[in-house]
Amino acid sequence: MERPAWAPRSIDISVPSVSRIYDFYLGGSHNFEVDREAARRAMEFMPGLPKIMQANRAFMRRAVRFAADQGIDQFLDIGSGIPTFGNVHEVAGRSRPGARVVYVDHDPVAVAHSEAVLAGHDDADVVAGDLLKPREILAAPQVRRLIDLNRPVALLLVAILHFVEDADDPHAAVAELSDALAPGSLLVLTHASYEGIPLPAERAGGAVDVYKNIRNPLIMRSREEIARFFEGYDMVEPGLVPMPRWRPEGAVEDEDPYAFSGFAGVGRTA
C-alpha cells in the first residue's frame, strides 16, 4: 500500500482508525481502504451510519454558534478528529471574530491535518493528547497560550466518550476537566446509544462488533448513563435529546430516522 504524503510515517496504515472511518462517513478523502472496508462492514448492519455522523456534525455547529452567542470565545475540542468543512474555529470565528480554539486528538493523522489546516491561524492550535489524561491536556503549551481558564470555556466532547470503556472511568476524566472550568462554561457532548436507532438492538450490535474487532470498542450507553456526564452542570434547554431535536434550525420531521440515534446536550457550570 502506497503511503500518501499526508500520512505521517508514525502511523500504521494497515490498521483501521476511528478518526479516518469517521472521515469516510462524512465524505472526506483522508482515509485508506482498510478504513473504508471497516466502515462498509459496519454499514451492512447500520446503513444509516453516515446520517448519524452528519447529524452529529450539524449539532456541533449549532452548539458552537449557541456558545458564541452566549459570549463564549474560548473552545476546547477534545477528540476533534480529522478536519472537515465547518470546523469549530470556522463556525466560532464567524459568530465571534477572534474566538480561540484548541483541538485535541490522539490520532496522529488528525493532529497532522489539523496542523496543516491551522497554519497561519494565530487563534487556533492543536494538541496531541488523550482525554484520559486531563492534566496533560490542560498543561499543554497550546492550551496555556490560547485558553484562559479563569474565563468561561466551551468544552466539546463530541462523539468521543462512547469510545471510552467504563473500566477507564470516563466520568472521572470529564469531572477533572469540568473542575478546571470557570463558572459559566459549557459542556457540549454527544454520545452513541441503542436508544433511537431505527433497528433492533441485535442488528445494531453487529456494527458495534465491527468496532470491537478493530480494537476500538464502541460503548453504547443509555440516556440515563449519558446524563451522568453532566453532573454539576445545569442543562441548557431542551436538555439531553436526540441530536436533531437540540435547537433545530429546520423541520425536524424532515430528518433521516437514523439521525435520531444517540443523544446530544449542552450543560452550563454554575
Side-chain angles (χ1 to χ4, degrees):
M1 183 187 304
E2 185 177 350
R3 181 183 297 269
W6 53 262
R9 288 284 169 187
S10 59
I11 69 166
D12 184 349
I13 62 176
S14 68
V15 177
S17 153
V18 165
S19 294
R20 298 194 307 265
I21 291 172
Y22 188 70
D23 177 69
F24 172 71
Y25 287 143
L26 292 175
S29 59
H30 296 103
N31 49 77
F32 303 113
E33 181 55 32
V34 67
D35 306 305
R36 296 188 285 273
E37 181 181 345
R40 288 191 287 264
R41 285 202 307 271
M43 289 171 63
E44 288 176 6
F45 298 97
M46 288 180 61
L49 277 167
K51 295 294 183 182
I52 297 174
M53 307 311 168
Q54 291 162 18
N56 188 79
R57 293 288 295 187
F59 160 77
M60 180 274 288
R61 290 190 286 267
R62 296 197 304 276
V64 168
R65 284 193 292 268
F66 169 80
D69 290 344
Q70 296 293 302
I72 291 180
D73 60 0
Q74 305 185 104
F75 297 81
L76 181 59
D77 184 0
I78 301 178
S80 50
I82 295 171
T84 58
F85 175 76
N87 280 319
V88 174
H89 71 280
E90 295 170 335
V91 178
R94 284 194 293 269
S95 298
R96 188 160 289 275
R100 297 186 166 197
V101 179
V102 176
Y103 297 104
V104 182
D105 207 287
H106 72 291
D107 186 323
V109 173
V111 173
H113 279 287
S114 296
E115 289 173 341
V117 168
L118 298 175
H121 288 268
D122 293 335
D123 294 330
D125 211 334
V126 60
V127 172
D130 186 339
L131 168 66
L132 297 177
K133 298 177 180 178
R135 292 183 186 179
E136 292 183 11
I137 291 174
L138 296 173
Q142 301 93 323
V143 174
R144 296 172 68 88
R145 179 175 73 87
L146 289 174
I147 305 294
D148 179 359
L149 293 173
N150 294 311
R151 297 194 300 110
V153 175
L155 170 63
L156 280 72
L157 300 176
V158 176
I160 180 174
L161 289 166
H162 48 234
F163 291 114
V164 184
E165 298 181 86
D166 290 338
D168 291 322
D169 202 353
H171 291 92
V174 175
E176 188 170 345
L177 288 164
S178 299
D179 287 346
L181 302 180
S185 294
L186 298 178
L187 171 60
V188 178
L189 183 155
T190 66
H191 198 296
S193 176
Y194 284 120
E195 298 176 37
I197 295 177
L199 286 173
E202 295 78 12
R203 181 167 178 79
V208 173
D209 288 342
V210 171
Y211 282 90
K212 182 178 180 181
N213 291 338
I214 64 171
R215 299 181 181 180
N216 283 284
L218 179 58
I219 312 302
M220 306 291 268
R221 295 186 171 98
S222 68
R223 183 183 184 281
E224 182 178 355
E225 290 171 325
I226 297 166
R228 282 189 53 210
F229 289 111
F230 286 100
E231 289 181 358
Y233 289 86
D234 296 324
M235 294 302 294
V236 171
E237 289 293 332
L240 187 62
V241 295
M243 292 177 287
R245 297 193 183 281
W246 197 89
R247 300 182 176 242
E249 296 172 344
V252 174
E253 58 270 19
D254 293 339
E255 293 283 351
D256 187 280
Y258 275 96
F260 296 87
S261 307
F263 293 96
V266 176
R268 179 184 284 110
T269 56

